[in-house]
Every structure is written in structure tokens, then in C-alpha cells.
Amino acid sequence: MNLADLTATELLAKYRDGSVSPVEVIEDVLTRVDQLEPQLCALYAPDPAGARAAAHESELRWRDGTSGALDGVPVTVKENIATRGTPVPQGTAATALTPATEDAPAAARLRAAGAVIFSKTTMPEYGMLSSGVSTFHRLTRNPWDVTKTAGGSSAGAAAAAAAGYGPIHVGTDIGGSIRLPAGWCGLVGLKPTHGRIAVGNPYAGRAIGPLTRTAPDAALALQVMSGYDPRDHTSIPLASDVFEVDVEGLRVALLLDAGVGLPVDPEVTAAVSSAAAVLEKAGAIVDPITPIITRDMLDGLDRFWRIRSATDIAALPEERRAKVLPQIREWVSTASDLTASDVFDGYSQMGAMAAAVGRVFTTYDVILSPVAPITAFPAELAYPTDDPGKPFEHIAFTVPYNMSQHPATTVNAGWSTSGLPIGAQLAVPHHQDLRALALADYLDTHRADTRPWPTL
């Protein structure tokens, strides 16, 4: 196997016994990037020279016994997670390209652990799309089928992970932006408990988390990035959960109908139902449940985010506003029609969504659902609906956990007839992030249909 395809846990074991060097690994990763990047367009601001230097330094630490928890492991970081010296365009040509003055908390923790951050990854316009469409970055594509989207807004992170640009990739999630691309690319993608990983510039629902090929790698990355940081007032101290789960007797709520948004593809329903059957066979108690959220909740969230985005864009100089993606400009153009009451009600609906999730966890240990109602859609579309007036019809399974601040992770549950990955989502009570990943690992290792990673 190419060293670029080894998991982080495998790499660390080989570094430890001296059979492989971080220098060899980064060369294989950079070779993979050279081969596939012209088709995938997953990276932003790659730094091969810096990566080679960091790998050499890691090799020395392994020799003298001072290695860190991720020493020598290749990692990418989404472009909206600041890294010192690199501009943060947020996926749009409307942003002034000012280099960041310091690493964001997650990037700083990765570096402190010895990770080799060799590149940033792409994202769509302001992170407000579940695709790779951007006025700044080239269009990111899905390694399983380059005519399809890798998802978004952690588009490049998902494409890079599926293509084997090293084992650990870090994204952000405010409505599904880790889990949707992870599901469409066959990955494990974790949106942690809110505040578990400090984001540096927090706001409602925003989280940082890993996208990886395996749950143990996601758990490793989570543990390295977790913890309080004074730059993020919402961040929390290290949690004490562990990477283990007892499936027998686990109370599982099976949610196959979000109650709002796009209808669920029958192939998606079948794949998630098969995951439920695996848990039931192992002794879990699986109960179908009715929808958690309502049309009013999703529409209220739309109103709040629309006015927030419109306010940000209105603050730009006129010449920069004109550079914003037309679909985003069309979406926010109706913000002026909203009253203060509309916006307040929208914010309240976000709270109602959180309360609705909380009620489910008074009875159940896990909520199992699709990640998305559909498989990956054409790469060129900004939205699966191709309608800026209906931008959130595909996030009804994911966004509730951003509002409720619960951890939720994805795992591959099967494949469409055309060979596209189908993701299942596992949401759990607060601070049980590692337990969710352990359950994802259980499903991953008990899946009947396993396939090799795409090579294009």
C-alpha cells in the first residue's frame, strides 16, 4: 500500500518502530497530490517546501524521543481555519487577502502535536453552500465520481480525505458542512459537542472537526484538538469520554424521515436501514421515530442566516460586493423584506429546534438517520435544488445538532447503484463524542459491502 493511504494510527506505529519515516510519508502524499489535484482541486495554499521541512523536524523528534501525539502525520486544514501567514478568503473573491497573524486554536494544537500541515483545503462561497462552488477556488470534485460534488462547505477536506492526501483533514460545520461532504465521500466526519474544539471566532452552531477514512483516526484528531482556549469564550475543558460503546441494549431512535426538505432517496433509506439492522442484530433496541423538526423551524433558520449573511455582505465596499457569487447575492436580496419580528422568530425557531432534539435524548441513546436525503449531486450546482430560494432543503437531518450543540458523526452505510457512497449519521448526547465515533467504528467494521478507495 502507498504510504499516503495509511491511517494515522498505522503511521504512528511505524514511526515508533522505525520502519517508516515522516519524510518518506510526506513524499508519497505530495506525489498523490501531484497526480490527482488537477482533477479534484481540493487544496488551497499548499506548501510542499514547508511540509518537507516539518517532516524532517518530525523525523528528528522520533529519533530523540520527543515526538508528539500526531508527530509526522500529514494533515490539511480548511481555509477558514486560520494558519499564520496565509490569507483566509472564505471561499469568495470578495475577501481582501490579508495574511492571518496567528494560528487558530485547532491549527495551533495540531502543530504542537507535531502534525505536518502541508496545505489548506477549499470551501465554497462564505461556507454557505453544500458544494464546492466558489468565486475564489477552483471547483472541487468528488473522487468517487468527478462529475459529482464532494459536498460542502468542507469540500476540499472531504475530497482530499477520500483521495488519500494523508489521513487527517479538518473542516468546519454550521449546518452539516463536515457531515454532508463526509457522507457523500464515504468518510467518517465528526461535528463535535459545541465548544469541545475551540474555533476562535465562535457563533451559533459553528464547530470544527475531523474528516478521516476511519473512526480511530477521527478520535485521535479530536483528542489532539480538544480543550479550552481563551480566544473562544464558548470552548470547554477536556472531556472524559472514551472510545468505546456497548451495542447490546443501546436505545436507538431510527429517523428515516426528516419531516421537511427533499424527499429521501429509497437507496438512502435502504442503506441507513441496513445500518440499523446491524445494530439490532447486536442487541440494540431500534425504534422508528417521527420527524424531529418542522417546516417552521427550518424556514426560521433560513430567515436568521439570510439576514446575517446580508448584513456581512452589505458591509463590503461596492466593488467587492459585486464579486460575491450570484446565487448568494440572490439569496440575500430578499433579506430587506424581513421584519425585525421575522428575524427574531427565526432565531427563536433555532432554539425550538434545539429543544426538540433534547427531548429525543430523554428516551434514546443514539439518533440514527441519513446524513443527507440524496446522494452527491452534480458538481457545478451551488445547491442540490439549483434554487437560491430553497438553499436548505437538504440539511434537515444535519442542522438540528448544530442548533442543539450535540455531537454527530457520519459513517459509510452503503452505496448507490451508480457506486456513490451513502452516509449514515449518529447523533448522541452532549460530551459523548468518542462514544459516537466508537459506534461509527462498529458499523464500519461490520459493514458487508466494503470497497477500495477511489484512485480516479
Side-chain angles (χ1 to χ4, degrees), residues 127-149:
M128 291 305 297
L129 307 174
S130 296
S131 68
V133 176
S134 163
T135 55
F136 182 84
H137 300 295
R138 295 178 299 163
L139 179 62
T140 303
R141 297 178 178 274
N142 192 320
W144 294 95
D145 180 346
V146 294
T147 71
K148 303 298 185 184
T149 185

Side-chain angles (χ1 to χ4, degrees), residues 18 40 224 261 403 438:
L40 297 183
V224 165
M403 300 303 103

Side-chain angles (χ1 to χ4, degrees), residues 7 26 72 87 125 131-132 183 207 217 221 223 234 240 249 253 312 314 325 358 373 420 427 448:
T7 67
I26 199 61
E125 202 84 358
S131 68
D217 275 6
Q223 290 166 300
T234 69
S240 59
D312 290 343
L325 188 76
L420 292 172

Side-chain angles (χ1 to χ4, degrees), residues 11 30 69 76 82 93 96 142 144 149 222 233 266 272 282-283 328 356 377 386 388-389 396 434:
L11 287 177
L30 293 175
T76 70
N142 192 320
W144 294 95
T149 185
L222 172 69
H233 66 275
V272 176
I328 295 290
F377 54 93
D386 198 24
L434 288 173

Side-chain angles (χ1 to χ4, degrees), residues 4 6-8 11 29 73-75 161 164-169 211-213 217:
L6 294 181
T7 67
L11 287 177
V29 169
V73 174
V75 171
Y165 291 10
I168 293 176
H169 306 269
L211 296 92
T212 61
R213 289 181 171 186
D217 275 6

Side-chain angles (χ1 to χ4, degrees), residues 8 50 59 95 126 232 242 249 282 343 345 349 419-420:
E59 183 179 62
T95 301
Y126 287 114
D232 181 353
V242 293
V343 179
D345 178 69
Q349 290 295 337
L420 292 172

Side-chain angles (χ1 to χ4, degrees), residues 7-145:
T7 67
T9 52
E10 290 169 336
L11 287 177
L12 292 169
K14 290 183 179 297
Y15 295 160
R16 195 171 294 114
D17 67 23
S19 61
V20 168
S21 160
V23 175
E24 299 172 276
V25 173
I26 199 61
E27 288 303 330
D28 274 11
V29 169
L30 293 175
T31 297
R32 176 71 56 81
V33 168
D34 287 343
Q35 291 169 342
L36 302 185
E37 186 59 9
Q39 298 174 73
L40 297 183
C41 305
L43 301 186
Y44 161 63
D47 182 14
R52 290 185 173 104
H56 277 287
E57 292 169 3
S58 175
E59 183 179 62
L60 294 176
R61 288 193 294 273
W62 280 103
R63 286 177 183 173
D64 66 20
T66 60
S67 58
L70 280 178
D71 228 300
V73 174
V75 171
T76 70
V77 176
K78 189 176 176 180
E79 66 107 303
N80 65 341
I81 301 171
T83 52
R84 184 169 57 85
T86 304
V88 183
Q90 300 183 81
T92 177
T95 301
L97 297 181
T98 304
T101 58
E102 63 179 1
D103 285 344
R109 288 181 186 273
L110 289 165
R111 281 199 217 276
V116 177
I117 301 176
F118 69 93
S119 184
K120 307 295 287 291
T121 51
T122 62
M123 61 182 281
E125 202 84 358
Y126 287 114
M128 291 305 297
L129 307 174
S130 296
S131 68
V133 176
S134 163
T135 55
F136 182 84
H137 300 295
R138 295 178 299 163
L139 179 62
T140 303
R141 297 178 178 274
N142 192 320
W144 294 95
D145 180 346

